[in-house]
Amino acid sequence: MRVAIVGAGLGGLATAIACRQRGLEVALYEQAPEPGAFGAGINLSANAVKVLQALGLKDALHAVSHEPGGYAWRNWTDGSLSRILRLDGSLARYGANYYVTHRGDLHRLLQEALPASAIRLGKRCVAVETRGRVAGLGFADGTEAEADVVIGADGIHSAVRRHVFGGEGAHYAGTMCWRSLIPTDSFPKDFHDSNVNAWTGEARDRFVISYYVRQGRYINVLAVARQPDWDSESWSIPSTRAELLAAFHDVGPALGQLLGAAEGVTKWGQFMGAPTAQWTRGRVTLLGDSAHAMLATWGQGACMAFEDAWILAHWLEARADDPDAALAGYEAARKPRVTRIQDMSRFEVNFKKQSTLRDRLRREWMYLTRFGTLTPGVHRWIYGYDPRSAWRGE
């Protein structure tokens, strides 16, 4: 089977590796003239790490990542700890480690797992169509390609989705983010603990996430604020330390010192997609953010793309004689889980502030009412999932 993948981001690269492992012929098309990845830190929970291990990347992932002790909620005024979810027992509890890593490092190790000949750069997709028993692609440079299956892994503003399904695609979610990667040698030793820290104050419209990446040599900072309007689709708009500090002027000394050391500050708006009625049409299907863009509140955007990659590759191998059945099986296996996590990600925006017992009880009651489980049950369901054995569906 010939498989064409549009988009050489994390999901596209992982899909290419998984398909090649199963003996499929893979061509990966990327619109950028040079390989690369935007972004900074990324959370990889056990469900995604299981896929990366199965792709043969266990040691490489460990070498560039940090394993946090827990996910901690802190008061940004005095730095006090209000609650912690332990993550250092993830291997025993959920079947794999929990890592935080730099997106660029993860992108690089995925790319290095593929031969250079598998990736075609400078290929901006401008046309997609099913032609009987094959699918065709057209590119801005005038070239064309044909495959038995086309996979749109080209992100939140997917050209494949637009050409095949139309519609408005993802929309601005009402929050924007600043990010910075700060060397740890900017601070005294042990200034930042080993946790992924969520800092909140009295205001519910802003929060800050901070954690180590690159084996503790850097602190990744993500600062999120509600903003009603946003008109750029860029993932990396230049900003300044002054703009960041002005937005978080009321934080306490510890968080203020961290934000005051921010370097190379950039910002972007968060986009999300509504659950789509259909991912597949003819010999074309969608994967990752192109199919189910979600907010980062549960840290599952890239994790869902890795699950997609493994499961789609299995279906293509299992039904190599019938690509239509393979794509239908993939969509049926993935959509219920992904749609539920999209819903949870939207819902979790309301509960970043966890400073008091009342905050925590409110969150648990709302999750029980909405999803029929308390948040520890959500963690077990998300993190404990194993795509390697559940590829036919949960």
Side-chain angles (χ1 to χ4, degrees):
M1 184 187 292
R2 299 169 301 157
V3 177
I5 302 169
V6 179
L10 299 179
L13 290 169
T15 305
I17 298 167
C19 286
R20 284 175 56 84
Q21 281 186 344
R22 276 147 196 81
L24 307 180
E25 181 183 325
V26 179
L28 188 55
Y29 298 95
E30 167 58 42
Q31 68 176 351
E34 297 292 337
F38 291 108
I42 185 171
N43 282 250
L44 295 172
S45 50
N47 48 308
V49 172
K50 292 166 191 171
V51 173
L52 295 169
Q53 290 175 344
L55 296 179
L57 301 172
K58 179 180 179 179
D59 293 338
L61 176 64
H62 185 80
V64 300
S65 302
H66 171 70
E67 190 172 357
Y71 191 102
W73 285 262
R74 293 191 177 276
N75 183 297
W76 76 21
T77 301
D78 59 12
S80 59
L81 178 68
S82 61
R83 181 180 172 225
I84 186 168
L85 167 70
R86 300 306 311 180
L87 294 172
D88 47 10
S90 179
L91 177 61
R93 189 175 299 116
Y94 305 121
N97 303 77
Y98 189 111
Y99 288 118
V100 283
T101 193
H102 190 280
R103 183 179 290 266
D105 293 336
L106 182 57
H107 190 273
R108 175 184 51 78
L109 67 88
L110 287 165
Q111 185 175 312
E112 289 176 351
L114 290 168
S117 59
I119 305 175
R120 280 76 157 170
L121 297 169
K123 295 293 184 181
R124 182 169 66 86
C125 177
V126 295
V128 190
E129 62 177 346
T130 296
R131 304 166 181 166
R133 299 176 64 83
V134 298
L137 290 168
F139 302 101
D141 62 3
T143 60
E144 295 184 345
E146 194 174 81
D148 298 302
V149 168
V150 166
I151 302 167
D154 49 341
I156 198 166
H157 303 294
S158 170
V160 174
R161 184 190 62 230
R162 184 173 65 253
H163 288 300
V164 176
F165 298 99
E168 298 181 359
H171 61 276
Y172 177 56
T175 54
M176 57 85 62
C177 312
W178 287 272
R179 63 179 164 224
S180 177
L181 203 62
I182 308 171
T184 51
D185 58 16
S186 302
F187 307 102
K189 186 178 180 181
D190 298 326
F191 170 80
H192 194 286
D193 62 25
S194 68
N195 298 315
V196 176
N197 285 301
W199 306 78
T200 58
E202 289 304 313
R204 293 183 180 271
D205 63 345
R206 291 168 294 149
F207 62 90
V208 177
I209 307 292
S210 63
Y211 51 84
Y212 286 130
V213 294
R214 291 181 169 167
Q215 293 288 3
R217 298 194 303 275
Y218 292 85
I219 300 172
N220 180 74
V221 172
L222 174 71
V224 182
R226 289 193 181 275
Q227 180 172 306
D229 300 308
W230 192 265
D231 59 6
S232 174
E233 296 182 357
S234 172
W235 286 101
S236 188
I237 299 171
S239 183
T240 64
R241 180 189 304 167
E243 184 181 22
L244 170 61
L245 291 173
F248 291 85
H249 59 89
D250 50 346
V251 303
L255 183 55
Q257 185 177 352
L258 179 62
L259 298 181
E263 300 178 353
V265 180
T266 58
K267 62 183 180 179
W268 83 102
Q270 288 194 309
F271 285 73
M272 60 185 289
T276 54
Q278 190 176 11
W279 295 1
T280 302
R281 179 169 293 168
R283 292 295 180 89
V284 183
T285 196
L286 303 175
L287 178 145
D289 281 350
S290 66
H292 45 70
M294 63 184 66
L295 296 179
T297 46
W298 274 100
Q300 289 299 305
C303 295
M304 290 300 102
F306 290 138
E307 289 185 9
D308 288 350
W310 183 261
I311 289 172
L312 176 53
H314 266 270
W315 275 101
L316 292 175
E317 178 190 35
R319 299 304 307 269
D321 61 326
D322 189 347
D324 299 298
L327 298 183
Y330 154 70
E331 182 172 335
R334 293 299 296 148
K335 188 174 286 183
R337 174 172 169 84
V338 170
T339 301
R340 184 174 172 85
I341 293 177
Q342 277 185 301
D343 192 13
M344 288 177 173
S345 297
R346 288 191 296 268
F347 197 61
E348 180 65 14
V349 172
N350 304 305
F351 308 112
K352 278 301 176 184
K353 182 175 179 291
Q354 293 287 294
S355 302
T356 68
L357 177 60
R358 182 178 180 179
D359 292 334
R360 297 193 289 277
L361 291 175
R362 174 176 172 267
R363 182 184 193 231
E364 295 303 329
W365 171 251
M366 295 294 285
Y367 265 92
L368 185 62
T369 303
R370 179 73 170 266
F371 299 107
T373 183
L374 301 176
T375 53
V378 176
H379 291 118
R380 287 192 296 272
W381 178 69
I382 295 178
Y383 301 164
Y385 177 80
D386 193 340
R388 297 169 298 186
S389 57
W391 64 273
R392 291 185 180 276
E394 291 188 89

